[in-house]
Amino acid sequence: MTAQLPAPRGEGYRIAVVCSGNICRSPVADVVLNDKIAEAGLPGITVDSFGTGGWHVGEGIDHRSGSSLIAAGYDGSRHRARQFGPGVASDYDLVLAMDAGHFSQLGSLGVPHERLWLFRSWDPEPDGPTGGDVPDPFYGGPAGFTDVLVMIERTADGIVTDLEAMAQPDVGHRLS
């Protein structure tokens, strides 16, 4: 199945990106997507990130993810980890899981199937050793964090392309 953005349910468009603890993968995706959306000049789109677990709530981004972002010209310093709970699903038009385990957990938390996608569903290079998952770099070295950033940037470009198409009047949806 080809990835397709669900239609906005109200004013603007809200996207949630979800990983395990909300300190490595999802905050990087949050920062990169927000930056690319701003560069594209797309108003009315909000991107937030969460973890399925609550053990890092309130903490900043993992220093290795933060370092990879800084090296690439991004700023993740404002990030504070949050947990995705059952009541959060209704706030978002699109919920992006960083791997198949998160996808399953989010479905169990009530995220409707039509609004739940794997983040890499927009990746032009979706195969390889990780399949459709964004691998967790937490227990590895710096190269893993850089690899994840590159994968997220590549995928974010595809998401932004679809957001731009959705913003066109002939598509029938308005994002702002």
Side-chain angles (χ1 to χ4, degrees):
M1 177 180 234
T2 302
Q4 183 175 347
L5 293 174
R9 296 172 304 129
E11 290 295 317
Y13 199 76
R14 299 198 64 200
I15 301 170
V17 186
V18 185
C19 70
S20 298
N22 192 218
I23 59 168
C24 293
R25 295 172 282 178
S26 60
V28 169
D30 177 343
V31 168
V32 169
L33 265 174
N34 272 305
D35 190 73
K36 290 182 178 285
I37 288 165
E39 281 180 16
L42 294 170
I45 301 173
T46 303
V47 181
D48 297 310
S49 63
F50 299 89
T52 56
W55 52 91
H56 293 293
V57 169
E59 293 179 20
I61 194 168
D62 180 280
H63 71 279
R64 298 162 296 177
S65 286
S67 293
S68 69
L69 284 170
I70 290 168
Y74 299 101
D75 180 7
S77 64
R78 294 184 189 190
H79 175 75
R80 293 295 172 260
R82 298 186 289 173
Q83 184 175 8
F84 193 97
V88 177
S90 62
D91 294 338
Y92 291 89
D93 298 294
L94 175 65
V95 179
L96 298 170
M98 297 310 269
D99 66 33
H102 304 129
F103 186 92
S104 178
Q105 288 176 302
L106 291 164
S108 297
L109 288 172
V111 178
H113 176 71
E114 67 276 4
R115 291 188 292 145
L116 177 59
W117 288 88
L118 282 171
F119 182 82
R120 287 191 62 206
S121 296
W122 283 265
D123 188 342
E125 301 175 26
D127 298 320
T130 65
D133 292 346
V134 176
D136 189 349
F138 188 80
Y139 295 104
F145 289 86
T146 301
D147 292 347
V148 163
L149 174 60
V150 169
M151 186 181 295
I152 286 171
E153 286 180 314
R154 183 177 67 224
T155 302
D157 286 338
I159 295 168
V160 170
T161 296
D162 280 5
L163 288 167
E164 288 172 320
M166 183 184 284
Q168 299 303 314
D170 62 340
V171 175
H173 305 299
R174 296 299 305 176
L175 295 179
S176 58

